[in-house]
Amino acid sequence: PPIIVSDLAERMGLKSFQLLADLIKLQVFVAPHQAIEPEIAVQICEQHGFTFEREQRVKGGGVHKQEEVVAEPEAPDEEPEDELKLRPPIITIMGHVDHGKTTLLDRIRDSRITAGEAGGITQHVGAYKVEHEGKPVTFIDTPGHAIFSAMRARGADITDIVVLVVAANDGLMPQTLEAIEHAKHSGKTIIVAINKCDLESANTMHVKTQLAEQGLQTTDFGGDTECLEISALKGDGVDDLLELLALQAEVLELKANPKGNARASIIEARFQQGRGAVASVIVESGTLKVGKPFICGPFAGKVKALINDRGESVKSATPGTPVEVIGFEELPRVGDALVEMDSDRAAKKLAEERQGELRSERLKIPQKSRMEDLIAHARDGNSKAQLKIILKTDVQGSVEAIRNAVNDIESDKVDVVFLGAAAGPISESDIQMASSSDAVVIGFNVKVEAKAAKLSKSEGVQIKLYSVVYELIDQVREAMLGLLEPES
Ligand code: GDP
């Protein structure tokens, strides 16, 4: 744990400012809530006639006990080759607004009803599986980037292939470029569906030229990007798209071991009356079964029921299959991993450990710089308070959009000041700037560099990460309107 100046002062029966004066002499410029290096602490302690010793951290309130180690069953690095079975590819459809993503998802979903499969889909589980000539394909049933980004931010990147929908009459638009950037960045296979080819104004040549400019040379241009011309509205070419996707499981050698402890990724979660927290998941490996205990984030649970994308209650779900899971203690987060445990006891124990870790993480962060506290703090004076923000986003385009949206929030108590706003990951210098000026760092679809994360903890700088714009705006607004109670 970091050595915080004020803590150290307290233990020596001194005031923080006395230590700060000593620190300045050592050329160390910090605030009372900030941390100092152990070597510096040693010197300071010596000056005051103390010896500096680090406490041994003992779990469980200082009582030594032989701890039983409980760990989440790890996915083995290498599964025995003969246990591996092909699994369906998992597809996310992306593209610019109005280019036909929803129409395409609906069309594909409907195709299996016309294909004579029993029953339509009555259950929304966030994803659905269709079969093309016996080969299954799983589609994430949310167009756009929000879920993709949310999952990626949590390191739960389950998409195998991005189907990029481009309207033939419109060409590449800002969100198309954003999608290409996302997909490339995370190393996804991109398959392009040029949509609305039924329109007179369709210009597929133009689209392909534009794609080539983005480094996506289509196969008929001598490149290796698969590209299909379709009409989601009329259904033309949709079968070809399905066939291409169905074959990709083999091409990309998408395999998983259906044996062993199940692992799944949360793609949606909600509270449902009478059922409690329910979540939709896609199974990644193993077979998820009713009755099995699991861990998901910091909570234990037990699979009480599984419901497939047709609303049928099922006993198990194999890799690549979307299902709704009932049996969570608390609402999990999108991107969390659900991992089957060998016993209820092991699941509960691991959950306790994780909750304990979370608590101590929270305790370590000096609370002074939380967004709402900063405002409350600044408001102690009579003048209008300032909320200082350093904004980092994934792409330049969203910098201005978010900045404008936040500036539009009207508050008679608080002024927003952007100390910085740029595209790129949250870096150490962002944290330093935030720390020296009591600002919060807000990230939109960005990563936090490891060093920055570490520094933010020792400096007590709050980093707020968002992947959905309106959530970001809402929280800033609530903080500004004083709706969020300052935590003491
Ligand atoms: P999304 O915003 O990308 O999900 O786009 P939508 O699926 O909502 O489609 C936007 C509009 O384009 C709707 O009015 C659709 O009917 C229309 N549309 C979608 N696909 C096609 C197509 O293949 N041809 C034509 N002519 N219109 C389409």
Side-chain angles (χ1 to χ4, degrees):
I3 307 156
I4 307 296
V5 176
S6 55
D7 290 349
L8 193 61
E10 201 183 307
R11 286 174 192 229
M12 293 195 280
L14 298 169
K15 298 275 180 223
S16 298
F17 72 84
Q18 294 174 286
L19 292 197
L20 292 181
D22 299 333
L23 285 166
I24 289 169
K25 281 189 210 134
L26 296 171
Q27 301 280 309
V28 177
F29 305 102
V30 288
H33 68 280
Q34 292 180 325
I36 53 174
E37 295 296 323
E39 304 84 74
I40 301 291
V42 170
Q43 291 187 45
I44 294 287
C45 288
E46 272 175 9
Q47 287 178 19
H48 293 273
F50 288 86
T51 21
F52 177 78
E53 255 174 54
R54 299 216 80 156
E55 278 175 19
Q56 291 295 327
R57 278 218 293 166
V58 182
K59 272 190 190 164
V63 187
H64 266 297
K65 213 170 61 182
Q66 201 59 35
E67 287 274 332
E68 176 195 0
V69 182
V70 186
E72 180 181 290
E74 294 264 333
D77 284 343
E78 283 202 19
E79 299 270 3
E81 188 63 30
D82 53 346
E83 301 284 6
L84 291 178
K85 298 273 178 315
L86 278 182
R87 62 165 177 84
I90 299 165
I91 317 293
T92 299
I93 295 189
M94 294 176 119
H96 197 70
V97 63
D98 276 346
H99 279 198
K101 299 180 292 294
T102 313
T103 310
L104 180 59
L105 274 165
D106 291 349
R107 167 68 64 179
I108 294 168
R109 201 192 301 108
D110 292 348
S111 71
R112 74 178 191 194
I113 300 167
T114 50
E117 285 187 37
I121 295 164
T122 50
Q123 188 81 6
H124 174 83
V125 302
Y128 61 79
K129 193 160 85 169
V130 296
E131 285 199 0
H132 183 84
E133 290 173 359
K135 294 191 173 75
V137 183
T138 296
F139 288 87
I140 305 234
D141 201 3
T142 319
H145 314 167
I147 185 171
F148 192 74
S149 306
M151 305 265 308
R152 205 164 50 115
R154 322 276 340 274
D157 201 355
I158 53 166
T159 300
D160 299 305
I161 300 167
V162 169
V163 169
L164 185 68
V165 174
V166 186
N169 59 335
D170 216 10
L172 269 59
M173 298 300 276
Q175 285 165 294
T176 324
L177 299 178
E178 220 177 284
I180 294 175
E181 219 175 293
H182 274 302
K184 275 193 188 160
H185 192 253
S186 49
K188 302 294 160 204
T189 303
I190 301 178
I191 289 178
V192 182
I194 304 184
N195 189 32
K196 306 200 186 184
C197 289
D198 56 292
L199 293 176
E200 289 250 345
S201 52
N203 187 346
T204 56
M205 233 19 203
H206 178 60
V207 175
K208 287 178 189 174
T209 314
Q210 285 185 310
L211 285 169
E213 283 164 10
Q214 298 301 318
L216 293 178
Q217 285 226 320
T218 54
T219 45
D220 53 346
F221 273 33
D224 54 12
T225 301
E226 296 285 355
C227 175
L228 292 163
E229 297 174 14
I230 67 163
S231 165
L233 193 66
K234 300 238 155 82
D236 302 336
V238 175
D239 249 4
D240 299 332
L241 177 64
L242 273 179
E243 181 167 348
L244 184 63
L245 293 173
L247 288 173
Q248 291 297 310
E250 285 158 49
V251 175
L252 298 174
E253 293 187 47
L254 302 174
K255 291 181 178 177
N257 181 358
K259 293 184 185 159
N261 289 56
R263 290 183 78 89
S265 257
I266 309 290
I267 54 170
E268 275 187 18
R270 63 201 164 277
F271 271 110
Q272 239 175 38
Q273 223 165 17
R275 296 161 96 197
V278 295
S280 300
V281 308
I282 294 184
V283 179
E284 290 175 85
S285 63
T287 299
L288 191 60
K289 296 191 190 93
V290 172
K292 293 288 183 187
F294 63 80
I295 180 97
C296 187
F299 301 110
K302 187 175 197 140
V303 182
K304 290 203 187 111
L306 294 172
I307 294 155
N308 72 8
D309 56 357
R310 286 140 213 249
E312 299 156 352
S313 184
V314 291
K315 288 273 169 268
S316 63
T318 51
T321 307
V323 273
E324 191 171 73
V325 180
I326 300 174
F328 291 89
E329 239 174 45
E330 297 280 341
L331 201 63
R333 293 186 301 178
V334 169
D336 273 345
L338 180 158
V339 181
E340 180 190 327
M341 297 290 290
D342 293 328
S343 69
D344 291 324
R345 213 171 58 88
K348 292 228 165 69
K349 188 140 181 29
L350 186 55
E352 265 168 36
E353 269 178 31
R354 286 188 176 177
Q355 284 169 30
E357 274 165 29
L358 280 180
R359 269 193 296 275
S360 52
E361 282 294 309
R362 264 186 227 126
L363 284 181
K364 268 192 245 157
I365 305 172
Q367 293 290 305
K368 138 183 185 298
S369 61
R370 293 171 66 254
M371 184 154 62
E372 35 282 37
D373 297 327
L374 281 178
I375 294 172
H377 180 72
R379 217 189 276 149
D380 288 345
N382 283 330
S383 60
K384 218 169 160 182
Q386 279 193 339
L387 173 60
K388 296 176 196 148
I389 294 177
I390 294 167
L391 173 70
K392 297 303 283 277
T393 70
D394 49 350
V395 288
Q396 190 56 38
S398 43
V399 174
E400 274 320 299
I402 291 172
R403 209 221 290 252
N404 290 338
V406 170
N407 277 330
D408 269 346
I409 303 171
E410 282 182 23
S411 163
D412 49 8
K413 297 180 193 146
V414 185
D415 274 331
V416 171
V417 182
F418 282 93
L419 298 180
I426 294 171
S427 66
E428 253 182 318
S429 64
D430 295 323
I431 305 296
Q432 276 152 0
M433 176 155 48
S435 171
S436 61
S437 47
D438 276 348
V440 287
V441 180
I442 294 183
F444 180 71
N445 281 338
V446 290
K447 288 215 176 87
V448 182
E449 287 176 358
K451 280 185 179 169
K454 211 167 143 212
L455 190 64
S456 74
K457 280 187 191 144
S458 58
E459 299 279 347
V461 169
Q462 190 188 22
I463 301 178
K464 301 211 98 183
L465 296 176
Y466 298 92
S467 54
V468 182
V469 177
Y470 68 79
E471 249 176 47
L472 185 162
I473 306 297
D474 265 357
Q475 285 218 356
V476 174
R477 195 186 58 226
E478 284 180 12
M480 285 171 64
L481 300 181
L483 298 176
L484 300 177
E485 282 300 313
E487 279 182 19
S488 51

